[in-house]
Amino acid sequence: ARPRPLGPYDTSEPITPWRDATTYNNYYEFGLGKDDPAREAADFRTRPWTVVVDGLVRRPQRIDVDTLTRWFPPEERIYRMRCVEAWSMVMPWSGFELGALIRRVEPLSTARYVAFTALHDPERMPGQLSDVLPWPYVEGLRLDEALHPLTLLATGLQGRPLPNQNGAPLRLVVPWKYGFKSIKAVARITFTREMPPTTWSLAAPDEYGFYANVNPAVDHPRWSQATERRIGDFARRPTLPFNGYADQVASLYAGMDLRRNF
Ligand code: MTE
């Protein structure tokens, strides 16, 4: 089949092979090793799945994940993904813009942030029996970041349903931020006035901030962020500001000190 024409948000870089994208994962609810999630999440049941929308919103509700994809038919977006550990991939996500959902539920004028909570169920997510991280995994965005057209809720990968190890049935994708912002297994979306806590900045506040914009000029305290290893490549490549999405998103941070707000 002829490939579809690339859209304005797609990268034309070579797509990371399926095998790498689905066996080299970070998903601490299913183990610490890169190949643990593929194995340990294999039998994770993702239906039925309800997403709770609450907080500072005019229309709080509980939405079945399959209702979400009926409301917002997924489209494909080929995005770069840059992990804070300095590896990267190119991922053809299927998903819908988080902004579409936000507009539908109508946040109140007092809402300034969106908080995300992953499923908390140690019987189904055995990694939650260990205290390597505080559970559940939580993340957050400023409302304008959440409304940006690049920000997706993904339900698929490479034209197939999202594999469990990649965050099925619903996973956030914020391509200009380090991968840990892209929380998997989203169960709750809460609109707040105050900046919400985020898992990695709770676990190691000196190493991980709220914003976590990809920034080659700000090193992790224990390693450089100037370059990255694209999975499948041998040589390292330079890391780009905002992971190559600066034209689209740099204006969100005008006037902010991105060394302090790392
Ligand atoms: N979401 C949850 N719930 N738990 C996690 O451990 N790891 C994050 C992020 N989302 C994580 C998560 C990290 S560190 C990265 S780099 C990406 O998921 C990895 O996504 P991938 O496995 O699809 O490449």
Side-chain angles (χ1 to χ4, degrees):
R2 198 157 56 97
R4 69 175 173 84
L6 294 180
Y9 300 114
D10 293 320
T11 175
S12 60
E13 293 163 87
I15 287 166
T16 298
W18 177 261
R19 202 187 148 71
D20 292 330
T22 59
T23 58
Y24 191 89
N25 301 105
N26 280 334
Y27 198 175
Y28 280 17
E29 286 90 334
F30 293 103
L32 304 188
K34 294 289 185 251
D35 58 351
D36 287 340
R39 208 176 37 252
E40 301 295 328
D43 299 324
F44 179 59
R45 289 192 30 227
T46 60
R47 296 294 189 287
W49 191 277
T50 305
V51 180
V52 176
V53 176
D54 62 0
L56 301 173
V57 63
R58 202 174 318 276
R59 301 170 66 195
Q61 55 198 292
R62 305 168 59 87
I63 314 169
D64 185 84
V65 71
D66 296 315
T67 303
L68 274 179
T69 51
R70 266 195 295 110
W71 287 349
F72 311 113
E75 57 180 282
E76 188 178 71
R77 298 276 183 92
I78 307 176
Y79 284 168
R80 289 176 290 277
M81 215 264 297
R82 169 57 157 88
C83 179
V84 75
E85 297 164 339
W87 52 266
S88 62
M89 297 191 189
V90 175
M91 304 286 265
W93 303 110
S94 309
F96 56 89
E97 292 183 10
L98 173 61
L101 173 60
I102 292 176
R103 286 185 288 275
R104 181 171 176 125
V105 299
E106 298 177 35
L108 303 179
S109 61
T110 45
R112 295 197 300 148
Y113 293 91
V114 188
F116 304 86
T117 309
L119 183 70
H120 191 199
D121 188 345
E123 282 185 12
R124 293 160 67 200
M125 294 179 143
Q128 292 177 341
L129 297 170
S130 114
D131 58 9
V132 9
L133 288 176
W135 304 111
Y137 197 101
V138 290
E139 258 305 335
L141 295 171
R142 226 169 48 195
L143 185 57
D144 59 342
E145 299 176 318
L147 285 166
H148 193 283
L150 282 169
T151 303
L152 294 190
L153 283 172
T155 56
L157 180 67
Q158 282 196 26
R160 305 190 221 181
L162 195 61
N164 288 346
Q165 59 268 40
N166 296 93
L170 192 69
R171 177 253 174 89
L172 185 68
V173 176
V174 194
W176 71 93
K177 294 177 179 284
Y178 291 119
F180 67 83
K181 296 294 288 182
S182 293
I183 179 175
K184 300 177 175 183
V186 173
R188 184 182 213 115
I189 300 174
T190 308
F191 293 82
T192 68
R193 197 164 69 90
E194 308 301 334
M195 182 182 280
T198 64
T199 288
W200 281 101
S201 61
L202 287 172
D206 301 335
E207 302 191 1
Y208 309 102
F210 175 82
Y211 283 96
N213 293 313
V214 173
N215 190 342
V218 176
D219 287 338
H220 187 281
R222 293 184 279 125
W223 59 84
S224 166
Q225 295 291 25
T227 65
E228 65 197 61
R229 188 171 69 90
R230 180 67 50 85
I231 296 298
D233 283 4
F234 185 70
R236 298 180 75 87
R237 62 175 69 209
T239 285
L240 301 175
F242 299 103
N243 200 24
Y245 298 96
D247 287 352
Q248 286 112 298
V249 301
S251 61
L252 294 173
Y253 310 101
M256 278 178 65
D257 177 352
L258 294 179
R259 292 188 165 271
R260 219 166 61 83
N261 296 285
F262 62 94

